[in-house]
Amino acid sequence: MWQWMEGGGAAPCARGKHAAAVLGGAVYVLGGRGAGGNLPLRDFWRYHLASGVWERLDGGPAAPPALQEHSATPHEASLYVFGGEVGALATETPLWVYNTETRLWRKLAGSPAPVPRRGRRAGGGKPAGGGPRGRRGHSAHALKDCLLVYGGYMDLKGSTNELWAFHYESESWHQVRTAGPGPARHRHAAALHDNKLYVHGGQCDLRECADLWHYDTMSRVWSQVRTPAKLSPGPRSGHAALRAGAHLYIFGGESAAVPTNELWRFHFGELPDGA
């Protein structure tokens, strides 16, 4: 059964398109949009699971700007925040790292934004930088030694199927080369299980999807999982996914701009032959 958790004292305002992550007995919430989607938010909060109390965090001068549809992924004692919509004046796509022990943000510079064609110098080609460029509505997942970033929506390009890995130790990016192209998606739901990244639904540009895929991080192969249409969730985007035991759960999302509160469960052990 559901239980409404009322935090004591000050608490974050109503919002959507924010990022949240669990680390060290607390839930961290960053940014999003408030006031019915009209107000970009930059605030950063921590909810203590044991006491049920919210705490607003500062993080110092290197804190990220107002973000929406970004990702926040825990690893050891840090949160890794990537992407999101930061406005037309953004010139790069950095990765922000928040250390929960020092309570400070650190900005790792990313690839610069593409230079408009008329402003490029002769022979300039692509701008320097080895990381993924600006995107929102992607997903990010912590593997043993790297952060895996998949998909997202890129301005002027639409939905992408790019897969990137950020290596924690060297603090460097590389684009993962796969045996075949995966689905181009943003606002999808995704979770890791048994060295596989499962991706459900989302949008391919403007089209909402209902299919389920997995990417094998060992063989680097994308495969579509075939499930009976009558026993599967319909097209949706903006929903959430998590793995619990042998199951993938998805909740909510929108279909044809109509929100849903459907909760679906997929059993990994029921994969058909050849999926």
Side-chain angles (χ1 to χ4, degrees):
M1 60 182 295
W2 289 99
Q3 180 184 2
W4 180 47
M5 305 299 293
E6 183 177 6
C13 65
R15 69 193 60 207
K17 299 184 178 181
H18 52 287
V22 178
L23 180 60
V27 178
Y28 292 83
V29 176
L30 174 67
R33 293 189 75 87
N38 296 316
L39 179 66
L41 299 171
R42 190 185 179 186
D43 52 348
F44 186 38
W45 294 81
R46 174 165 57 188
Y47 178 78
H48 297 269
L49 293 171
S51 63
V53 174
W54 283 102
E55 174 190 8
R56 184 161 184 170
L57 303 173
D58 180 7
L67 297 174
Q68 59 176 314
E69 294 189 283
H70 48 297
S71 60
T73 311
H75 173 68
E76 295 183 347
S78 296
L79 287 177
Y80 290 77
V81 173
F82 178 74
E85 188 173 25
V86 295
L89 298 179
T91 58
E92 60 177 348
T93 311
L95 178 72
W96 285 275
V97 183
Y98 179 76
N99 187 304
T100 60
E101 296 176 346
T102 63
R103 296 194 176 195
L104 292 176
W105 285 98
R106 184 165 57 98
K107 175 184 172 182
L108 302 179
S111 295
V115 179
R117 184 175 299 276
R118 62 183 180 182
R120 291 179 180 171
R121 297 178 180 177
K126 294 182 179 180
R133 302 196 187 283
R135 65 201 62 207
R136 61 186 185 273
H138 55 285
S139 58
H141 310 272
L143 294 176
K144 292 181 180 179
D145 61 347
C146 69
L147 174 72
L148 197 64
V149 174
Y150 160 72
Y153 186 88
M154 303 173 65
D155 290 336
L156 304 180
K157 290 187 176 181
S159 301
T160 180
N161 61 358
E162 289 182 357
L163 188 64
W164 288 83
F166 175 81
H167 298 273
Y168 299 121
E169 185 174 352
S170 62
E171 295 192 341
S172 62
W173 287 100
H174 88 267
Q175 188 169 0
V176 179
R177 304 301 179 185
T178 62
R185 294 295 158 85
H186 73 283
R187 302 190 72 220
H188 51 283
L192 280 170
H193 172 69
D194 193 24
N195 294 316
K196 294 183 177 67
L197 174 65
Y198 285 80
V199 175
H200 177 267
Q203 290 180 255
C204 180
D205 294 331
L206 298 178
R207 178 174 60 88
E208 288 181 329
C209 305
D211 47 356
L212 177 65
W213 291 75
H214 67 62
Y215 170 74
D216 191 318
T217 60
M218 305 301 291
S219 65
R220 299 192 177 185
V221 173
W222 281 100
S223 302
Q224 184 172 357
V225 180
R226 306 293 180 179
T227 58
K230 293 183 179 180
L231 301 176
S232 304
R236 66 198 59 208
S237 62
H239 49 313
L242 61 83
R243 180 194 65 83
H247 293 96
L248 171 71
Y249 290 83
I250 66 169
F251 177 76
E254 296 179 342
S255 181
V258 178
T260 178
N261 63 352
E262 291 180 355
L263 177 66
W264 286 82
R265 183 176 70 179
F266 174 80
H267 194 284
F268 296 113
E270 297 173 356
L271 287 177
D273 293 339

